[in-house]
Each structure stands twice: as C-alpha cells, then as structure tokens.
Amino acid sequence: AADEAKKAAGGHVGPITKSNVVIDCKPWDDETDIVQMEKAVRAITMEGLRWGDSKLVEVGYGIQKLRISTCIIDHLVGLYDLEEHITNLEDFIQSVDIVSHNKI
C-alpha cells in the first residue's frame, strides 16, 4: 500500500489531497441528447480523476442539465483543465459551472 501511495504521488512532495467536486453541465437546448452528453463527459479521462454519481436537474422550459460528481487528486487534476475538457464537447455542452468543491 505504501508503494502504491508513492507511485500515485508521482514525485509530489507533501500530503496527497483530494477534493469532491460537483459540476453542472448545461446543454444547448431541450433537443440535446442528455444520455449521450453524459457518456461524452464520462469518457473524459485524466490521471487522478474518478467520476461519481449523476442526476438530471430541471432548468425550465423542458430543459434539464446534468449534475455530476467527481473525486479528484488535487495535484494531478486542475479544475480549469477539467472544465476546459468538458466545454470542448461543443456538440452537447453550452456551459459548465462548479456547484461545489470540497477538500477531503
């Protein structure tokens, strides 16, 4: 277990810190395929990134947004980088908001 922890640190000095992050992914309109949007978001892979639960949240006028949680290792995953990866899914995503960011 200690060897795995050293390997995960990847040369990082100090304690390994993690965060729980909840992200809202807003679609372009009510015709956006939310199931495909979630698959595309979950297909994003980065070292130190684990996707968690998700749910659909009503925005209004029949539009729903995807609220998805993730656990990140802070020194491996930058939130701005993750946000950029998600917003690059231009066929599905209009905008992204960080709902919460809690250190664990």
Side-chain angles (χ1 to χ4, degrees):
D3 289 337
E4 286 181 26
K6 285 180 185 176
K7 194 179 207 180
H12 175 75
V13 178
I16 304 296
T17 56
K18 295 181 180 180
S19 296
N20 282 329
V21 182
V22 178
I23 302 169
D24 275 354
C25 303
K26 298 176 188 167
W28 286 104
D29 55 32
D30 62 337
E31 295 179 9
T32 301
D33 187 339
I34 300 291
V35 173
Q36 291 301 314
M37 183 173 84
E38 181 177 356
K39 286 180 183 178
V41 170
R42 287 184 182 275
I44 296 170
T45 57
M46 299 170 76
E47 185 179 357
L49 169 68
R50 289 194 185 248
W51 294 109
D53 293 339
S54 66
K55 68 178 181 176
L56 299 179
V57 178
E58 191 71 32
V59 176
Y61 302 103
I63 299 174
Q64 294 180 318
K65 63 183 173 184
L66 174 67
R67 180 166 289 167
I68 190 165
S69 65
T70 183
C71 181
I72 62 171
I73 297 175
D74 294 336
H75 74 277
L76 295 176
V77 179
L79 274 183
Y80 291 123
D81 292 336
L82 179 57
E83 202 171 344
E84 185 177 330
H85 283 298
I86 296 171
T87 54
N88 284 340
L89 300 170
E90 295 172 346
D91 291 342
F92 301 108
I93 308 286
Q94 175 193 25
S95 64
V96 174
D97 292 321
I98 305 296
V99 177
S100 67
H101 179 199
N102 300 304
K103 302 277 185 188
I104 44 177

